Amino acid sequence: MDLTDVAVERTYRLRSAVLGWASPATRIDSGGAGHLALVDGDTVVAAVSHVTWPCPAEPEVPARYFWAMAVDTPYQGRGYGRRLLAAVADRARACGERVVWADARESAVAFYTACGARVAGEPYVDDGTGLLVRHVVFTLGVARTVSDGSSSP
């Protein structure tokens, strides 16, 4: 399974199918945003978008925001979500960022906490999706704190 940078348009089918978004584009998809995908042949089976963006819980710390993380249903449970998180954390570290965070759907909070995130703040309704979300925050240190299943630091 290849991990690669893709044009945001390649993530739209998956975003709609997995996240249920009627309009898969978001207002922050451009302007320096990156889009990573795991690709099986020509098909995007897992994707996440990311950009340098301050974390409301730690506004003074250099941070990377990620959104629209989705893994196609037949591919769930294989560690692809963790692999995407690790790749975003690696991109953040390469830019000197020390926090990675997201607005997580309530149904996904347990996944992120199992990956090492902490929950920050109260739940709220996201303006863009209309979903109830919570901030999940990963603090990046020298050693990898977003586990992709490997033992490397």
PDB file of all heavy atoms in Angstrom, residues 26 95 121 124 130 132 153:
ATOM      1  N   THR A  26     -13.675  21.439   1.591  1.00  0.00           N
ATOM      2  CA  THR A  26     -13.748  22.315   2.761  1.00  0.00           C
ATOM      3  C   THR A  26     -13.017  23.610   2.446  1.00  0.00           C
ATOM      4  O   THR A  26     -12.195  23.669   1.538  1.00  0.00           O
ATOM      5  CB  THR A  26     -13.105  21.680   4.013  1.00  0.00           C
ATOM      6  OG1 THR A  26     -11.698  21.621   3.833  1.00  0.00           O
ATOM      7  CG2 THR A  26     -13.669  20.295   4.286  1.00  0.00           C
ATOM      8  N   CYS A  95       8.624  20.361  10.030  1.00  0.00           N
ATOM      9  CA  CYS A  95       8.384  21.810   9.986  1.00  0.00           C
ATOM     10  C   CYS A  95       8.610  22.469  11.344  1.00  0.00           C
ATOM     11  O   CYS A  95       8.297  23.653  11.514  1.00  0.00           O
ATOM     12  CB  CYS A  95       6.953  22.077   9.515  1.00  0.00           C
ATOM     13  SG  CYS A  95       6.697  21.625   7.794  1.00  0.00           S
ATOM     14  N   GLY A 121     -10.964  20.679  25.760  1.00  0.00           N
ATOM     15  CA  GLY A 121     -12.167  21.486  25.621  1.00  0.00           C
ATOM     16  C   GLY A 121     -13.440  20.668  25.585  1.00  0.00           C
ATOM     17  O   GLY A 121     -13.435  19.447  25.657  1.00  0.00           O
ATOM     18  N   TYR A 124     -18.497  20.677  20.663  1.00  0.00           N
ATOM     19  CA  TYR A 124     -19.209  21.772  20.019  1.00  0.00           C
ATOM     20  C   TYR A 124     -19.604  21.348  18.612  1.00  0.00           C
ATOM     21  O   TYR A 124     -19.091  20.361  18.080  1.00  0.00           O
ATOM     22  CB  TYR A 124     -18.361  23.051  19.991  1.00  0.00           C
ATOM     23  CG  TYR A 124     -17.108  22.922  19.165  1.00  0.00           C
ATOM     24  CD1 TYR A 124     -17.087  23.333  17.844  1.00  0.00           C
ATOM     25  CD2 TYR A 124     -15.956  22.359  19.705  1.00  0.00           C
ATOM     26  CE1 TYR A 124     -15.937  23.192  17.075  1.00  0.00           C
ATOM     27  CE2 TYR A 124     -14.815  22.217  18.951  1.00  0.00           C
ATOM     28  CZ  TYR A 124     -14.812  22.630  17.639  1.00  0.00           C
ATOM     29  OH  TYR A 124     -13.684  22.486  16.881  1.00  0.00           O
ATOM     30  N   GLY A 130     -21.453  20.557  10.615  1.00  0.00           N
ATOM     31  CA  GLY A 130     -22.663  20.425  11.425  1.00  0.00           C
ATOM     32  C   GLY A 130     -22.597  19.278  12.416  1.00  0.00           C
ATOM     33  O   GLY A 130     -23.578  18.957  13.081  1.00  0.00           O
ATOM     34  N   LEU A 132     -21.110  17.165  15.824  1.00  0.00           N
ATOM     35  CA  LEU A 132     -20.588  17.381  17.163  1.00  0.00           C
ATOM     36  C   LEU A 132     -19.144  16.889  17.178  1.00  0.00           C
ATOM     37  O   LEU A 132     -18.870  15.739  16.811  1.00  0.00           O
ATOM     38  CB  LEU A 132     -21.426  16.610  18.187  1.00  0.00           C
ATOM     39  CG  LEU A 132     -21.093  16.864  19.652  1.00  0.00           C
ATOM     40  CD1 LEU A 132     -21.361  18.324  20.024  1.00  0.00           C
ATOM     41  CD2 LEU A 132     -21.909  15.939  20.542  1.00  0.00           C
ATOM     42  N   PRO A 153      11.906   5.557  17.105  1.00  0.00           N
ATOM     43  CA  PRO A 153      11.669   6.815  17.810  1.00  0.00           C
ATOM     44  C   PRO A 153      11.245   7.931  16.872  1.00  0.00           C
ATOM     45  O   PRO A 153      11.390   7.866  15.699  1.00  0.00           O
ATOM     46  CB  PRO A 153      13.009   7.143  18.449  1.00  0.00           C
ATOM     47  CG  PRO A 153      14.016   6.300  17.758  1.00  0.00           C
ATOM     48  CD  PRO A 153      13.280   5.180  17.083  1.00  0.00           C
TER      49      PRO A 153
END
